[in-house]
PDB file of all heavy atoms in Angstrom:
ATOM      1  N   MET A 475       4.870  -0.509  14.305  1.00 92.00           N
ATOM      2  CA  MET A 475       6.165   0.042  13.924  1.00 92.00           C
ATOM      3  C   MET A 475       6.138   0.506  12.478  1.00 92.00           C
ATOM      4  O   MET A 475       6.738   1.605  12.156  1.00 92.00           O
ATOM      5  CB  MET A 475       7.218  -1.043  14.113  1.00 92.00           C
ATOM      6  CG  MET A 475       8.689  -0.544  13.960  1.00 92.00           C
ATOM      7  SD  MET A 475       9.909  -1.971  13.873  1.00 92.00           S
ATOM      8  CE  MET A 475       9.517  -2.830  15.382  1.00 92.00           C
ATOM      9  N   MET A 476       5.630  -0.251  11.617  1.00 92.00           N
ATOM     10  CA  MET A 476       5.608   0.155  10.124  1.00 92.00           C
ATOM     11  C   MET A 476       4.826   1.368   9.951  1.00 92.00           C
ATOM     12  O   MET A 476       5.191   2.287   9.200  1.00 92.00           O
ATOM     13  CB  MET A 476       4.939  -0.987   9.325  1.00 92.00           C
ATOM     14  CG  MET A 476       4.813  -0.703   7.842  1.00 92.00           C
ATOM     15  SD  MET A 476       3.513  -1.535   6.959  1.00 92.00           S
ATOM     16  CE  MET A 476       2.085  -0.604   7.475  1.00 92.00           C
ATOM     17  N   ARG A 477       3.637   1.530  10.670  1.00 92.00           N
ATOM     18  CA  ARG A 477       2.806   2.682  10.485  1.00 92.00           C
ATOM     19  C   ARG A 477       3.484   3.931  10.939  1.00 92.00           C
ATOM     20  O   ARG A 477       3.221   5.063  10.416  1.00 92.00           O
ATOM     21  CB  ARG A 477       1.503   2.528  11.240  1.00 92.00           C
ATOM     22  CG  ARG A 477       0.531   1.601  10.568  1.00 92.00           C
ATOM     23  CD  ARG A 477      -0.650   1.302  11.423  1.00 92.00           C
ATOM     24  NE  ARG A 477      -1.653   0.471  10.686  1.00 92.00           N
ATOM     25  CZ  ARG A 477      -2.647  -0.155  11.310  1.00 92.00           C
ATOM     26  NH1 ARG A 477      -2.754  -0.178  12.593  1.00 92.00           N
ATOM     27  NH2 ARG A 477      -3.495  -0.865  10.570  1.00 92.00           N
ATOM     28  N   ARG A 478       4.450   3.914  11.876  1.00 91.00           N
ATOM     29  CA  ARG A 478       5.189   5.049  12.267  1.00 91.00           C
ATOM     30  C   ARG A 478       6.119   5.496  11.165  1.00 91.00           C
ATOM     31  O   ARG A 478       6.397   6.709  10.999  1.00 91.00           O
ATOM     32  CB  ARG A 478       6.011   4.753  13.551  1.00 91.00           C
ATOM     33  CG  ARG A 478       5.166   4.742  14.807  1.00 91.00           C
ATOM     34  CD  ARG A 478       5.996   4.798  16.077  1.00 91.00           C
ATOM     35  NE  ARG A 478       6.915   3.623  16.310  1.00 91.00           N
ATOM     36  CZ  ARG A 478       6.456   2.487  16.909  1.00 91.00           C
ATOM     37  NH1 ARG A 478       5.201   2.464  17.405  1.00 91.00           N
ATOM     38  NH2 ARG A 478       7.256   1.490  17.068  1.00 91.00           N
ATOM     39  N   TYR A 479       6.570   4.560  10.447  1.00 91.00           N
ATOM     40  CA  TYR A 479       7.488   4.901   9.208  1.00 91.00           C
ATOM     41  C   TYR A 479       6.682   5.349   8.019  1.00 91.00           C
ATOM     42  O   TYR A 479       7.162   6.161   7.190  1.00 91.00           O
ATOM     43  CB  TYR A 479       8.317   3.656   8.881  1.00 91.00           C
ATOM     44  CG  TYR A 479       9.551   3.520   9.744  1.00 91.00           C
ATOM     45  CD1 TYR A 479       9.446   2.822  11.028  1.00 91.00           C
ATOM     46  CD2 TYR A 479      10.768   4.002   9.400  1.00 91.00           C
ATOM     47  CE1 TYR A 479      10.503   2.675  11.798  1.00 91.00           C
ATOM     48  CE2 TYR A 479      11.935   3.805  10.188  1.00 91.00           C
ATOM     49  CZ  TYR A 479      11.747   3.176  11.407  1.00 91.00           C
ATOM     50  OH  TYR A 479      12.826   3.009  12.324  1.00 91.00           O
ATOM     51  N   THR A 480       5.471   4.830   7.833  1.00 90.00           N
ATOM     52  CA  THR A 480       4.646   5.123   6.648  1.00 90.00           C
ATOM     53  C   THR A 480       3.628   6.321   6.946  1.00 90.00           C
ATOM     54  O   THR A 480       2.766   6.512   6.122  1.00 90.00           O
ATOM     55  CB  THR A 480       3.890   3.938   6.140  1.00 90.00           C
ATOM     56  OG1 THR A 480       2.995   3.464   7.170  1.00 90.00           O
ATOM     57  CG2 THR A 480       4.848   2.784   5.848  1.00 90.00           C
ATOM     58  N   LYS A 481       3.761   6.901   8.116  1.00 86.00           N
ATOM     59  CA  LYS A 481       2.878   8.027   8.448  1.00 86.00           C
ATOM     60  C   LYS A 481       1.380   7.543   8.491  1.00 86.00           C
ATOM     61  O   LYS A 481       0.478   8.099   7.943  1.00 86.00           O
ATOM     62  CB  LYS A 481       2.992   9.200   7.479  1.00 86.00           C
ATOM     63  CG  LYS A 481       4.395   9.803   7.542  1.00 86.00           C
ATOM     64  CD  LYS A 481       4.540  11.011   6.580  1.00 86.00           C
ATOM     65  CE  LYS A 481       5.895  11.584   6.668  1.00 86.00           C
ATOM     66  NZ  LYS A 481       6.044  12.684   5.703  1.00 86.00           N
ATOM     67  N   GLN A 482       1.194   6.347   9.113  1.00 85.00           N
ATOM     68  CA  GLN A 482      -0.085   5.695   9.372  1.00 85.00           C
ATOM     69  C   GLN A 482      -0.752   5.153   8.126  1.00 85.00           C
ATOM     70  O   GLN A 482      -1.914   4.882   8.084  1.00 85.00           O
ATOM     71  CB  GLN A 482      -1.026   6.708  10.096  1.00 85.00           C
ATOM     72  CG  GLN A 482      -0.489   7.140  11.415  1.00 85.00           C
ATOM     73  CD  GLN A 482      -0.106   6.044  12.370  1.00 85.00           C
ATOM     74  OE1 GLN A 482      -0.937   5.101  12.605  1.00 85.00           O
ATOM     75  NE2 GLN A 482       1.080   6.199  12.961  1.00 85.00           N
ATOM     76  N   ARG A 483       0.001   5.079   7.016  1.00 85.00           N
ATOM     77  CA  ARG A 483      -0.530   4.529   5.799  1.00 85.00           C
ATOM     78  C   ARG A 483      -0.493   3.081   5.747  1.00 85.00           C
ATOM     79  O   ARG A 483       0.570   2.510   6.120  1.00 85.00           O
ATOM     80  CB  ARG A 483       0.236   5.112   4.519  1.00 85.00           C
ATOM     81  CG  ARG A 483       0.183   6.629   4.457  1.00 85.00           C
ATOM     82  CD  ARG A 483      -1.114   7.112   3.875  1.00 85.00           C
ATOM     83  NE  ARG A 483      -1.159   8.540   3.781  1.00 85.00           N
ATOM     84  CZ  ARG A 483      -0.655   9.247   2.767  1.00 85.00           C
ATOM     85  NH1 ARG A 483      -0.104   8.655   1.757  1.00 85.00           N
ATOM     86  NH2 ARG A 483      -0.752  10.582   2.791  1.00 85.00           N
ATOM     87  N   ASN A 484      -1.506   2.429   5.273  1.00 80.00           N
ATOM     88  CA  ASN A 484      -1.566   0.982   5.123  1.00 80.00           C
ATOM     89  C   ASN A 484      -1.004   0.576   3.724  1.00 80.00           C
ATOM     90  O   ASN A 484      -0.941   1.409   2.870  1.00 80.00           O
ATOM     91  CB  ASN A 484      -2.954   0.417   5.301  1.00 80.00           C
ATOM     92  CG  ASN A 484      -3.442   0.502   6.751  1.00 80.00           C
ATOM     93  OD1 ASN A 484      -2.591   0.282   7.723  1.00 80.00           O
ATOM     94  ND2 ASN A 484      -4.668   0.850   6.989  1.00 80.00           N
ATOM     95  N   LEU A 485      -0.716  -0.734   3.540  1.00 80.00           N
ATOM     96  CA  LEU A 485      -0.135  -1.148   2.312  1.00 80.00           C
ATOM     97  C   LEU A 485      -1.193  -1.653   1.312  1.00 80.00           C
ATOM     98  O   LEU A 485      -0.988  -1.607   0.091  1.00 80.00           O
ATOM     99  CB  LEU A 485       0.908  -2.244   2.556  1.00 80.00           C
ATOM    100  CG  LEU A 485       2.139  -1.851   3.385  1.00 80.00           C
ATOM    101  CD1 LEU A 485       3.037  -3.002   3.623  1.00 80.00           C
ATOM    102  CD2 LEU A 485       2.917  -0.720   2.638  1.00 80.00           C
ATOM    103  N   VAL A 486      -2.261  -2.163   1.865  1.00 75.00           N
ATOM    104  CA  VAL A 486      -3.289  -2.740   0.890  1.00 75.00           C
ATOM    105  C   VAL A 486      -4.316  -1.712   0.606  1.00 75.00           C
ATOM    106  O   VAL A 486      -4.775  -0.987   1.425  1.00 75.00           O
ATOM    107  CB  VAL A 486      -3.949  -4.027   1.535  1.00 75.00           C
ATOM    108  CG1 VAL A 486      -5.212  -4.400   0.790  1.00 75.00           C
ATOM    109  CG2 VAL A 486      -3.043  -5.139   1.680  1.00 75.00           C
ATOM    110  N   LYS A 487      -4.638  -1.625  -0.708  1.00 66.00           N
ATOM    111  CA  LYS A 487      -5.621  -0.682  -1.233  1.00 66.00           C
ATOM    112  C   LYS A 487      -6.780  -1.538  -1.739  1.00 66.00           C
ATOM    113  O   LYS A 487      -6.775  -1.977  -2.910  1.00 66.00           O
ATOM    114  CB  LYS A 487      -5.063   0.199  -2.328  1.00 66.00           C
ATOM    115  CG  LYS A 487      -3.946   1.109  -1.956  1.00 66.00           C
ATOM    116  CD  LYS A 487      -4.498   2.245  -1.104  1.00 66.00           C
ATOM    117  CE  LYS A 487      -3.433   3.303  -0.764  1.00 66.00           C
ATOM    118  NZ  LYS A 487      -3.898   4.360   0.041  1.00 66.00           N
ATOM    119  N   PRO A 488      -7.865  -1.695  -0.990  1.00 62.00           N
ATOM    120  CA  PRO A 488      -8.940  -2.604  -1.374  1.00 62.00           C
ATOM    121  C   PRO A 488      -9.714  -1.998  -2.583  1.00 62.00           C
ATOM    122  O   PRO A 488      -9.884  -0.766  -2.717  1.00 62.00           O
ATOM    123  CB  PRO A 488      -9.866  -2.661  -0.163  1.00 62.00           C
ATOM    124  CG  PRO A 488      -9.583  -1.376   0.632  1.00 62.00           C
ATOM    125  CD  PRO A 488      -8.080  -1.129   0.401  1.00 62.00           C
ATOM    126  N   ALA A 489     -10.205  -2.882  -3.496  1.00 60.00           N
ATOM    127  CA  ALA A 489     -11.008  -2.487  -4.616  1.00 60.00           C
ATOM    128  C   ALA A 489     -12.075  -3.611  -4.771  1.00 60.00           C
ATOM    129  O   ALA A 489     -12.088  -4.633  -4.060  1.00 60.00           O
ATOM    130  CB  ALA A 489     -10.087  -2.438  -5.851  1.00 60.00           C
ATOM    131  N   LYS A 490     -13.000  -3.347  -5.669  1.00 61.00           N
ATOM    132  CA  LYS A 490     -14.157  -4.272  -5.874  1.00 61.00           C
ATOM    133  C   LYS A 490     -13.627  -5.572  -6.335  1.00 61.00           C
ATOM    134  O   LYS A 490     -14.179  -6.623  -6.060  1.00 61.00           O
ATOM    135  CB  LYS A 490     -15.127  -3.721  -6.857  1.00 61.00           C
ATOM    136  CG  LYS A 490     -15.910  -2.491  -6.298  1.00 61.00           C
ATOM    137  CD  LYS A 490     -17.073  -2.181  -7.180  1.00 61.00           C
ATOM    138  CE  LYS A 490     -16.540  -1.642  -8.525  1.00 61.00           C
ATOM    139  NZ  LYS A 490     -17.656  -1.220  -9.442  1.00 61.00           N
ATOM    140  N   ILE A 491     -12.570  -5.592  -7.231  1.00 60.00           N
ATOM    141  CA  ILE A 491     -12.087  -6.887  -7.847  1.00 60.00           C
ATOM    142  C   ILE A 491     -10.694  -7.137  -7.310  1.00 60.00           C
ATOM    143  O   ILE A 491      -9.882  -6.241  -7.205  1.00 60.00           O
ATOM    144  CB  ILE A 491     -12.079  -6.704  -9.397  1.00 60.00           C
ATOM    145  CG1 ILE A 491     -13.404  -6.226  -9.922  1.00 60.00           C
ATOM    146  CG2 ILE A 491     -11.683  -8.005 -10.050  1.00 60.00           C
ATOM    147  CD1 ILE A 491     -14.559  -7.172  -9.682  1.00 60.00           C
ATOM    148  N   ARG A 492     -10.388  -8.395  -7.096  1.00 66.00           N
ATOM    149  CA  ARG A 492      -9.126  -8.747  -6.420  1.00 66.00           C
ATOM    150  C   ARG A 492      -7.934  -8.393  -7.336  1.00 66.00           C
ATOM    151  O   ARG A 492      -6.909  -8.087  -6.830  1.00 66.00           O
ATOM    152  CB  ARG A 492      -9.139 -10.282  -6.006  1.00 66.00           C
ATOM    153  CG  ARG A 492      -9.137 -11.241  -7.118  1.00 66.00           C
ATOM    154  CD  ARG A 492      -9.314 -12.686  -6.596  1.00 66.00           C
ATOM    155  NE  ARG A 492      -9.381 -13.638  -7.670  1.00 66.00           N
ATOM    156  CZ  ARG A 492      -8.347 -14.363  -7.964  1.00 66.00           C
ATOM    157  NH1 ARG A 492      -7.144 -14.230  -7.344  1.00 66.00           N
ATOM    158  NH2 ARG A 492      -8.476 -15.339  -8.861  1.00 66.00           N
ATOM    159  N   PHE A 493      -8.055  -8.498  -8.623  1.00 68.00           N
ATOM    160  CA  PHE A 493      -6.959  -8.236  -9.495  1.00 68.00           C
ATOM    161  C   PHE A 493      -6.578  -6.743  -9.417  1.00 68.00           C
ATOM    162  O   PHE A 493      -5.389  -6.336  -9.564  1.00 68.00           O
ATOM    163  CB  PHE A 493      -7.236  -8.699 -10.865  1.00 68.00           C
ATOM    164  CG  PHE A 493      -7.445 -10.129 -11.001  1.00 68.00           C
ATOM    165  CD1 PHE A 493      -8.586 -10.617 -11.591  1.00 68.00           C
ATOM    166  CD2 PHE A 493      -6.526 -11.008 -10.474  1.00 68.00           C
ATOM    167  CE1 PHE A 493      -8.789 -12.037 -11.704  1.00 68.00           C
ATOM    168  CE2 PHE A 493      -6.731 -12.361 -10.583  1.00 68.00           C
ATOM    169  CZ  PHE A 493      -7.858 -12.871 -11.115  1.00 68.00           C
ATOM    170  N   THR A 494      -7.622  -5.907  -9.356  1.00 73.00           N
ATOM    171  CA  THR A 494      -7.449  -4.475  -9.188  1.00 73.00           C
ATOM    172  C   THR A 494      -6.740  -4.163  -7.863  1.00 73.00           C
ATOM    173  O   THR A 494      -5.886  -3.367  -7.754  1.00 73.00           O
ATOM    174  CB  THR A 494      -8.754  -3.661  -9.271  1.00 73.00           C
ATOM    175  OG1 THR A 494      -9.461  -4.100 -10.441  1.00 73.00           O
ATOM    176  CG2 THR A 494      -8.510  -2.211  -9.362  1.00 73.00           C
ATOM    177  N   THR A 495      -7.238  -4.934  -6.824  1.00 76.00           N
ATOM    178  CA  THR A 495      -6.604  -4.749  -5.486  1.00 76.00           C
ATOM    179  C   THR A 495      -5.132  -5.097  -5.570  1.00 76.00           C
ATOM    180  O   THR A 495      -4.181  -4.440  -4.955  1.00 76.00           O
ATOM    181  CB  THR A 495      -7.287  -5.730  -4.487  1.00 76.00           C
ATOM    182  OG1 THR A 495      -8.641  -5.357  -4.379  1.00 76.00           O
ATOM    183  CG2 THR A 495      -6.612  -5.630  -3.150  1.00 76.00           C
ATOM    184  N   ALA A 496      -4.770  -6.174  -6.398  1.00 77.00           N
ATOM    185  CA  ALA A 496      -3.413  -6.513  -6.498  1.00 77.00           C
ATOM    186  C   ALA A 496      -2.580  -5.358  -7.085  1.00 77.00           C
ATOM    187  O   ALA A 496      -1.484  -5.101  -6.550  1.00 77.00           O
ATOM    188  CB  ALA A 496      -3.252  -7.779  -7.447  1.00 77.00           C
ATOM    189  N   PHE A 497      -3.020  -4.740  -8.109  1.00 81.00           N
ATOM    190  CA  PHE A 497      -2.282  -3.647  -8.743  1.00 81.00           C
ATOM    191  C   PHE A 497      -2.178  -2.498  -7.737  1.00 81.00           C
ATOM    192  O   PHE A 497      -1.038  -1.942  -7.590  1.00 81.00           O
ATOM    193  CB  PHE A 497      -2.938  -3.151 -10.049  1.00 81.00           C
ATOM    194  CG  PHE A 497      -2.343  -1.933 -10.507  1.00 81.00           C
ATOM    195  CD1 PHE A 497      -1.135  -1.910 -11.246  1.00 81.00           C
ATOM    196  CD2 PHE A 497      -2.976  -0.675 -10.273  1.00 81.00           C
ATOM    197  CE1 PHE A 497      -0.571  -0.725 -11.658  1.00 81.00           C
ATOM    198  CE2 PHE A 497      -2.370   0.512 -10.675  1.00 81.00           C
ATOM    199  CZ  PHE A 497      -1.202   0.449 -11.390  1.00 81.00           C
ATOM    200  N   LEU A 498      -3.288  -2.126  -7.135  1.00 83.00           N
ATOM    201  CA  LEU A 498      -3.245  -1.000  -6.262  1.00 83.00           C
ATOM    202  C   LEU A 498      -2.358  -1.203  -5.006  1.00 83.00           C
ATOM    203  O   LEU A 498      -1.718  -0.271  -4.508  1.00 83.00           O
ATOM    204  CB  LEU A 498      -4.715  -0.646  -5.805  1.00 83.00           C
ATOM    205  CG  LEU A 498      -5.670  -0.174  -6.882  1.00 83.00           C
ATOM    206  CD1 LEU A 498      -7.055   0.084  -6.291  1.00 83.00           C
ATOM    207  CD2 LEU A 498      -5.133   1.180  -7.488  1.00 83.00           C
ATOM    208  N   THR A 499      -2.285  -2.484  -4.588  1.00 84.00           N
ATOM    209  CA  THR A 499      -1.375  -2.805  -3.529  1.00 84.00           C
ATOM    210  C   THR A 499       0.000  -2.690  -3.904  1.00 84.00           C
ATOM    211  O   THR A 499       0.862  -2.123  -3.119  1.00 84.00           O
ATOM    212  CB  THR A 499      -1.686  -4.211  -3.053  1.00 84.00           C
ATOM    213  OG1 THR A 499      -3.009  -4.353  -2.522  1.00 84.00           O
ATOM    214  CG2 THR A 499      -0.661  -4.676  -1.923  1.00 84.00           C
ATOM    215  N   LEU A 500       0.398  -3.154  -5.094  1.00 88.00           N
ATOM    216  CA  LEU A 500       1.779  -2.914  -5.554  1.00 88.00           C
ATOM    217  C   LEU A 500       2.111  -1.427  -5.689  1.00 88.00           C
ATOM    218  O   LEU A 500       3.200  -1.002  -5.351  1.00 88.00           O
ATOM    219  CB  LEU A 500       1.946  -3.616  -6.921  1.00 88.00           C
ATOM    220  CG  LEU A 500       2.069  -5.106  -6.878  1.00 88.00           C
ATOM    221  CD1 LEU A 500       2.165  -5.683  -8.311  1.00 88.00           C
ATOM    222  CD2 LEU A 500       3.297  -5.530  -6.128  1.00 88.00           C
ATOM    223  N   HIS A 501       1.163  -0.670  -6.169  1.00 89.00           N
ATOM    224  CA  HIS A 501       1.336   0.777  -6.202  1.00 89.00           C
ATOM    225  C   HIS A 501       1.594   1.388  -4.817  1.00 89.00           C
ATOM    226  O   HIS A 501       2.456   2.227  -4.615  1.00 89.00           O
ATOM    227  CB  HIS A 501       0.154   1.458  -6.881  1.00 89.00           C
ATOM    228  CG  HIS A 501       0.392   2.869  -7.108  1.00 89.00           C
ATOM    229  ND1 HIS A 501      -0.207   3.875  -6.260  1.00 89.00           N
ATOM    230  CD2 HIS A 501       0.997   3.636  -8.073  1.00 89.00           C
ATOM    231  CE1 HIS A 501       0.148   5.085  -6.685  1.00 89.00           C
ATOM    232  NE2 HIS A 501       0.848   5.022  -7.765  1.00 89.00           N
ATOM    233  N   SER A 502       0.822   0.939  -3.889  1.00 89.00           N
ATOM    234  CA  SER A 502       0.992   1.382  -2.498  1.00 89.00           C
ATOM    235  C   SER A 502       2.376   0.955  -1.950  1.00 89.00           C
ATOM    236  O   SER A 502       2.965   1.824  -1.290  1.00 89.00           O
ATOM    237  CB  SER A 502      -0.106   0.804  -1.572  1.00 89.00           C
ATOM    238  OG  SER A 502       0.055   1.234  -0.262  1.00 89.00           O
ATOM    239  N   PHE A 503       2.847  -0.192  -2.199  1.00 91.00           N
ATOM    240  CA  PHE A 503       4.099  -0.636  -1.821  1.00 91.00           C
ATOM    241  C   PHE A 503       5.214   0.286  -2.456  1.00 91.00           C
ATOM    242  O   PHE A 503       6.138   0.718  -1.709  1.00 91.00           O
ATOM    243  CB  PHE A 503       4.411  -2.084  -2.359  1.00 91.00           C
ATOM    244  CG  PHE A 503       4.152  -3.086  -1.308  1.00 91.00           C
ATOM    245  CD1 PHE A 503       2.846  -3.450  -0.931  1.00 91.00           C
ATOM    246  CD2 PHE A 503       5.183  -3.833  -0.673  1.00 91.00           C
ATOM    247  CE1 PHE A 503       2.575  -4.426  -0.001  1.00 91.00           C
ATOM    248  CE2 PHE A 503       4.892  -4.820   0.252  1.00 91.00           C
ATOM    249  CZ  PHE A 503       3.624  -5.109   0.568  1.00 91.00           C
ATOM    250  N   TYR A 504       5.043   0.629  -3.666  1.00 93.00           N
ATOM    251  CA  TYR A 504       6.025   1.402  -4.395  1.00 93.00           C
ATOM    252  C   TYR A 504       6.092   2.831  -3.810  1.00 93.00           C
ATOM    253  O   TYR A 504       7.160   3.430  -3.635  1.00 93.00           O
ATOM    254  CB  TYR A 504       5.798   1.510  -5.874  1.00 93.00           C
ATOM    255  CG  TYR A 504       6.899   2.188  -6.634  1.00 93.00           C
ATOM    256  CD1 TYR A 504       8.139   1.666  -6.795  1.00 93.00           C
ATOM    257  CD2 TYR A 504       6.610   3.429  -7.193  1.00 93.00           C
ATOM    258  CE1 TYR A 504       9.116   2.298  -7.478  1.00 93.00           C
ATOM    259  CE2 TYR A 504       7.627   4.179  -7.855  1.00 93.00           C
ATOM    260  CZ  TYR A 504       8.884   3.555  -7.992  1.00 93.00           C
ATOM    261  OH  TYR A 504       9.840   4.265  -8.686  1.00 93.00           O
ATOM    262  N   MET A 505       4.883   3.360  -3.422  1.00 93.00           N
ATOM    263  CA  MET A 505       4.853   4.692  -2.857  1.00 93.00           C
ATOM    264  C   MET A 505       5.526   4.739  -1.497  1.00 93.00           C
ATOM    265  O   MET A 505       6.032   5.752  -1.008  1.00 93.00           O
ATOM    266  CB  MET A 505       3.436   5.155  -2.762  1.00 93.00           C
ATOM    267  CG  MET A 505       2.653   5.338  -4.095  1.00 93.00           C
ATOM    268  SD  MET A 505       3.524   6.531  -5.199  1.00 93.00           S
ATOM    269  CE  MET A 505       3.252   8.049  -4.343  1.00 93.00           C
ATOM    270  N   GLN A 506       5.511   3.619  -0.836  1.00 93.00           N
ATOM    271  CA  GLN A 506       6.179   3.439   0.498  1.00 93.00           C
ATOM    272  C   GLN A 506       7.524   2.881   0.428  1.00 93.00           C
ATOM    273  O   GLN A 506       8.124   2.528   1.470  1.00 93.00           O
ATOM    274  CB  GLN A 506       5.323   2.674   1.437  1.00 93.00           C
ATOM    275  CG  GLN A 506       3.936   3.283   1.714  1.00 93.00           C
ATOM    276  CD  GLN A 506       4.074   4.600   2.475  1.00 93.00           C
ATOM    277  OE1 GLN A 506       5.044   4.910   3.115  1.00 93.00           O
ATOM    278  NE2 GLN A 506       3.035   5.420   2.351  1.00 93.00           N
ATOM    279  N   LYS A 507       8.142   2.766  -0.733  1.00 94.00           N
ATOM    280  CA  LYS A 507       9.448   2.096  -0.933  1.00 94.00           C
ATOM    281  C   LYS A 507      10.516   2.623   0.058  1.00 94.00           C
ATOM    282  O   LYS A 507      11.152   1.852   0.745  1.00 94.00           O
ATOM    283  CB  LYS A 507       9.970   2.251  -2.394  1.00 94.00           C
ATOM    284  CG  LYS A 507      11.346   1.713  -2.612  1.00 94.00           C
ATOM    285  CD  LYS A 507      11.776   2.015  -4.043  1.00 94.00           C
ATOM    286  CE  LYS A 507      13.252   1.542  -4.231  1.00 94.00           C
ATOM    287  NZ  LYS A 507      13.736   1.798  -5.592  1.00 94.00           N
ATOM    288  N   LYS A 508      10.699   3.891   0.054  1.00 94.00           N
ATOM    289  CA  LYS A 508      11.762   4.553   0.876  1.00 94.00           C
ATOM    290  C   LYS A 508      11.467   4.230   2.312  1.00 94.00           C
ATOM    291  O   LYS A 508      12.438   3.840   3.105  1.00 94.00           O
ATOM    292  CB  LYS A 508      11.791   5.992   0.638  1.00 94.00           C
ATOM    293  CG  LYS A 508      12.835   6.697   1.397  1.00 94.00           C
ATOM    294  CD  LYS A 508      12.942   8.222   1.097  1.00 94.00           C
ATOM    295  CE  LYS A 508      13.983   8.945   1.905  1.00 94.00           C
ATOM    296  NZ  LYS A 508      14.053  10.403   1.602  1.00 94.00           N
TER     297      LYS A 508
END
């Protein structure tokens, strides 16, 4: 259901380091805010 609203975009953006993943995930959330 979420993917239909986000145009198949996922929320988690994996990176080599978990803290970088944390930031990229928040950025992904913000891009999908609406």
Side-chain angles (χ1 to χ4, degrees):
M475 188 191 303
M476 182 206 75
R477 284 173 175 164
R478 285 196 292 273
Y479 280 83
T480 63
K481 298 180 181 179
Q482 304 303 314
R483 301 283 179 85
N484 290 320
L485 295 177
V486 170
K487 295 286 185 180
K490 291 189 295 183
I491 308 295
R492 66 189 179 99
F493 300 125
T494 310
T495 299
F497 170 80
L498 295 176
T499 296
L500 285 176
H501 183 262
S502 178
F503 265 71
Y504 186 71
M505 296 301 291
Q506 295 296 337
K507 174 183 175 181
K508 181 178 179 181

